[in-house]
Amino acid sequence: MTLDDKKRVLREMVLHRRFEERCYQAYIERKIGGFLHLYPGQEACCNGVMEAARPSHDYVITGYRDHIHAIKCGADPKAVMAELYGKATGCSKGRGGSMHIFDVAHRFMGGYALVGGPFPLAAGMAKAIQMKGGDEIAICFLGDAANNQGVFHETLNMSKLWNLPVLFVCENNLYGIGTALDRSTAVHDQYKRVCAYGIESAQCDGQDIDIVYEHAKTAIDYVRSGKGPYFLELMTYRYRGHSMSDSRAYRSREEEEHWKLRDPINILRDRLIAAGELTLEDFQQMERDTDTFIEQDIIAFAEASPEPDVSELEHFVLA
Amino acid sequence: MAEIMYWEALQRAHDEEMARDPLVICMGEDIGVAGGTYKATKGLYEKYGDKRVIDTPISEGGYTGLGIGASFLGIRPVIEIMSVNFAWLAMDQMFNSAAKVRYMSGGQLTAPCVFRAAGGAAHQLGAQHSARMEKVFMGIAGLRVVTPSNPKQAYGLLKAAIRSDDPVFINEHELMYNMKGDVPDSEYLHPLEGSEIARAGSDVTLFGYNISVHWCLQAAEILHSQHNISAEVVDLYALSPLDREGIRKSVSKTHRAVIAEEDEAPVGVGAEVIAIINEECFFELDAAPVRVHSALVPQPYNHTLEKAAIPDHTDVVRAVLKLFGKA
């Protein structure tokens, strides 16, 4: 990544952080319903991987913590927020909600709410790519806990057996809902679990975007060159609870503070300041501009958008 | 018009669709090198190769999901589940991914895939290989369900399902793959909705689907020749959506209805058809509709017990005679 890239990505990551924090507020205000899984703390994962990938060309699929992956692929943040508000202008026309953000035009193939469900769907997209002979790859972002599902193992086996162009990105945030990783799997290093299937894998820091980018680049070059699947484990942390009704009783405040010392936005910000590319004042202005954009463009759009027409309740069931 | 077997009709449909469209693929256990447990894909591996006729590991949830994911990008997979009993393992992907993706994406994404499964009770296969599960599939929004009762339907429904932009579940029957019947020589697509009058009659309607259509036809013959009762047989080859208009029309003509299903009664086709009769033509009825169905037991192994658990044409005859106060 060039310095210009890094400055752009810092701005994007600030938007991703503030967007999610604004969602939290909107949820408290009951503007957003249902479940809401937020991304703060993990921004370097999605950004680092997608900077190394080709957004809107490669096919991306993920679980229910999906707002930022959609936006990074090219989804309009206004349409994502409108979807969270359940509005007709939402990217899924108010039918999906937080866990089912879709933007197929940008090849963001959706958020899915069954843990591990996207694994075989990603491999299937890779099968389609392989059949059609394109140079796209399929990228599947999921959390560590998804690796305890049966389809994880079934999918890895078939992906390697058929040499499919799929990158599995494991955002290891150490908890499956409220159960710690070491209380749910005997092998703690997730990248080691895929060795059983003969799949190339690596583990790296998920908080430093430069490190994520370098590892993702290696992984993506490998997959795109036709060598088969790859599994990349990123060590990260979610600041908020799994969803909204989460007391975080399963982890200590000390642990949370420890991880915040390695905040992905601060790491990139400080690096750019040290390189003389940015001042703290520039960064603070960036945050203010972002908040203004979120209020005046994104929230205003979601608020002003119409509700879906009840007469169209049964649209989109069958073709 | 040539008389061929049910499995040959399926094989021909696969073959023609694969020849027509390079994006059509088949996947499942033992369908390639081994030629398919019921021969529905016989010879296709040799003809189309291992990239399009895919022998999968025994991982029903995984390969079903993989086929659905491929369909997101325009591939048309025909996903064979060797026995419908194994479909439980694939239902998360069938229902949560294929059936719902169109709706929850606001119409952006669709899963045009076909799931084929051998269903029904064969001979002494025991509780875990004899399930009839159509009741499970027909209650899922976003999924079409069809169930061919003869080779012509097997051929035409599979071809139409492959070309449909919706996910389609095709419920076949383990005992019917060697059944013979006429199939048109020229290409034929069977509608995925509606019903067929398999035998016209005026006194009572016998509703069947898949194998129970044949019980109904046998019963109708006995009722005609031995009891002077004219039974109409309606073939509900589409279980989702059910043909409300076809059901209404026939019952409005005969004023009596018997529904024959190989499945157990609670929450089944019979219950659903009777609900439709109530909603569409209750005041046309001369008698309360009756269900003929299996006993609510896990399928027993013992031959006599198994026979006692599953109905046949004699149960249909008995139900009709009772309806007419003759038994």
Side-chain angles (χ1 to χ4, degrees):
Chain A
M1 281 195 286
T2 64
L3 282 168
D4 279 347
D5 286 333
K6 289 183 190 183
K7 278 196 277 189
R8 171 181 51 80
V9 173
L10 180 65
R11 181 172 283 107
E12 289 183 46
M13 286 168 72
V14 168
L15 172 66
H16 299 160
R17 175 71 57 87
R18 309 297 276 199
F19 182 95
E20 294 287 78
E21 295 300 344
R22 188 62 182 79
C23 289
Y24 182 89
Q25 192 188 324
Y27 188 89
I28 300 296
E29 293 166 359
R30 295 178 180 269
K31 301 279 189 182
I32 297 176
F35 288 124
L36 183 65
H37 309 83
L38 300 173
Y39 202 56
Q42 300 184 204
E43 292 90 348
C45 298
C46 173
N47 278 279
V49 172
M50 290 312 296
E51 285 299 313
R54 293 164 65 181
S56 299
H57 181 72
D58 295 328
Y59 293 92
V60 173
I61 193 165
T62 188
Y64 39 77
R65 203 178 303 284
D66 58 350
H67 315 160
I68 302 310
H69 299 80
I71 291 170
K72 185 69 184 178
C73 285
D76 184 345
K78 294 204 293 277
V80 176
M81 187 63 82
E83 184 60 32
L84 302 180
Y85 272 61
K87 297 296 183 73
T89 54
C91 52
S92 303
K93 298 191 169 65
R95 268 62 167 190
S98 169
M99 300 191 285
H100 306 304
I101 303 294
F102 285 79
D103 188 344
V104 174
H106 290 99
R107 298 192 171 177
F108 179 71
M109 308 302 276
Y112 297 79
L114 274 286
V115 176
F119 281 126
L121 300 175
M125 294 194 295
K127 167 70 185 170
I129 293 166
Q130 189 185 59
M131 277 186 70
K132 293 177 170 185
D135 71 343
E136 306 94 333
I137 67 170
I139 304 176
C140 179
F141 287 92
L142 284 172
D144 46 288
N147 303 346
N148 296 321
Q149 288 280 11
V151 285
F152 169 70
H153 301 273
E154 297 178 10
T155 301
L156 291 175
N157 182 44
M158 289 184 285
S159 298
K160 184 63 183 175
L161 187 65
W162 300 325
N163 218 41
L164 301 176
V166 54
L167 170 63
F168 299 103
V169 179
C170 174
E171 299 188 44
N172 185 348
N173 64 20
L174 305 177
Y175 293 91
I177 313 179
T179 300
L181 176 81
D182 60 5
R183 295 181 62 237
S184 59
T185 172
V187 177
H188 302 168
D189 289 321
Q190 298 302 302
Y191 77 101
K192 290 181 182 169
R193 300 177 82 182
V194 309
C195 298
Y197 302 100
I199 291 180
E200 205 66 28
S201 67
Q203 180 191 57
C204 72
D205 179 13
Q207 302 304 89
D208 184 331
I209 191 165
D210 287 329
I211 294 175
V212 174
Y213 175 81
E214 287 306 322
H215 282 79
K217 197 168 177 326
T218 302
I220 287 168
D221 287 347
Y222 180 95
V223 176
R224 208 184 299 283
S225 69
K227 290 179 182 158
Y230 195 103
F231 182 92
L232 179 60
E233 179 182 11
L234 307 175
M235 301 307 295
T236 188
Y237 202 77
R238 61 167 152 75
Y239 293 164
R240 293 202 173 272
H242 165 74
S243 182
M244 296 304 280
S245 55
D246 181 344
S247 62
R248 294 163 17 249
Y250 48 84
R251 67 189 195 190
S252 69
R253 299 297 83 84
E254 292 74 24
E255 180 185 287
E256 293 177 351
E257 290 311 312
H258 167 76
W259 275 92
K260 284 180 181 171
L261 294 174
R262 301 206 65 254
D263 181 82
I265 294 177
N266 291 351
I267 288 173
L268 180 57
R269 177 199 65 190
D270 294 347
R271 190 166 293 150
L272 288 169
I273 290 173
E277 291 291 323
L278 188 82
T279 65
L280 191 57
E281 290 69 38
D282 293 337
F283 179 77
Q284 287 164 344
Q285 188 60 45
M286 189 188 288
E287 287 189 309
R288 282 193 295 273
D289 292 346
T290 302
D291 285 344
T292 304
F293 173 62
I294 289 173
E295 289 308 318
Q296 294 185 356
D297 286 64
I298 296 174
I299 294 291
F301 176 78
E303 291 277 359
S305 289
E307 291 278 316
D309 190 335
V310 174
S311 70
E312 295 177 0
L313 170 69
E314 292 176 10
H315 285 202
F316 313 124
V317 177
L318 293 170
Chain B
M1 199 77 91
E3 188 177 69
I4 60 174
M5 283 193 263
Y6 195 96
W7 73 263
E8 290 174 309
L10 290 167
Q11 194 275 352
R12 182 180 148 197
H14 279 110
D15 190 8
E16 286 178 5
E17 291 304 297
M18 291 189 80
R20 179 187 63 83
D21 181 353
L23 296 179
V24 176
I25 64 173
C26 308
M27 34 193 313
E29 295 152 1
D30 274 8
I31 67 156
V33 173
T37 304
Y38 300 102
K39 298 187 280 191
T41 51
K42 190 181 174 191
L44 301 181
Y45 181 86
E46 293 77 7
K47 193 165 175 183
Y48 298 103
D50 64 355
K51 295 286 186 284
R52 293 182 64 200
V53 181
I54 304 163
D55 280 316
T56 65
I58 301 178
S59 307
E60 287 84 3
Y63 75 72
T64 298
L66 197 147
I68 294 165
S71 79
F72 288 174
L73 270 58
I75 302 297
R76 300 264 164 169
V78 182
I79 302 165
E80 178 176 305
I81 307 281
M82 186 187 279
S83 158
V84 76
N85 299 265
F86 314 155
W88 290 113
L89 294 160
M91 281 182 193
D92 168 43
Q93 291 295 337
M94 289 179 180
F95 299 168
N96 278 315
S97 301
K100 294 178 185 172
V101 74
R102 184 176 178 82
Y103 196 81
M104 66 189 192
S105 70
Q108 291 181 70
L109 199 53
T110 191
C113 43
V114 179
F115 311 110
R116 291 180 41 245
H123 297 302
Q124 292 190 271
L125 299 184
Q128 295 187 340
H129 273 64
S130 305
R132 289 77 61 191
M133 287 158 40
E134 43 275 15
K135 66 170 78 164
V136 182
F137 295 96
M138 63 189 279
I140 305 295
L143 182 69
R144 292 184 177 278
V145 182
V146 294
T147 183
S149 67
N150 56 53
K152 181 184 173 189
Q153 286 183 3
Y155 167 77
L157 285 170
L158 176 54
K159 284 178 70 84
I162 290 170
R163 298 188 195 189
S164 169
D165 287 334
D166 297 316
V168 182
F169 180 80
I170 304 181
N171 190 52
E172 296 162 8
H173 199 292
E174 294 194 24
L175 294 181
M176 291 168 68
Y177 288 104
N178 289 332
M179 164 189 290
K180 285 184 177 170
D182 286 335
V183 176
D185 296 325
S186 55
E187 184 167 75
Y188 164 72
L189 299 182
H190 197 288
L192 294 172
E193 296 184 9
S195 61
E196 277 173 10
I197 296 175
R199 174 182 174 128
S202 55
D203 300 333
V204 59
T205 302
L206 310 180
F207 290 101
Y209 61 94
N210 192 268
I211 200 167
S212 67
V213 170
H214 302 281
W215 308 340
C216 293
L217 287 170
Q218 275 179 280
E221 188 52 40
I222 292 167
L223 290 166
H224 166 71
S225 59
Q226 298 177 19
H227 303 282
N228 199 28
I229 293 172
S230 167
E232 175 150 297
V233 177
V234 173
D235 181 342
L236 300 170
Y237 60 80
L239 294 183
S240 182
L242 274 166
D243 183 13
R244 300 183 77 89
E245 182 57 17
I247 293 167
R248 187 194 64 77
K249 266 190 183 163
S250 184
V251 173
S252 299
K253 181 170 79 173
T254 63
H255 311 291
R256 290 179 182 82
V258 171
I259 302 96
E261 55 190 323
E262 199 191 42
D263 214 340
E264 303 95 346
V267 201
V269 177
E272 201 53 40
V273 171
I274 291 174
I276 290 172
I277 292 170
N278 283 342
E279 289 160 2
E280 298 288 336
C281 52
F282 179 79
F283 294 105
E284 294 286 349
L285 288 170
D286 285 347
V290 175
R291 293 183 288 188
V292 172
H293 55 82
S294 280
L296 185 58
V297 293
Q299 194 62 17
Y301 162 72
N302 173 274
H303 177 64
T304 309
L305 293 179
E306 179 175 58
K307 217 167 165 304
I310 305 257
D312 63 13
H313 66 279
T314 61
D315 297 287
V316 179
V317 170
R318 202 171 304 124
V320 173
L321 294 180
K322 209 171 160 190
L323 211 56
F324 282 88
K326 294 185 175 182

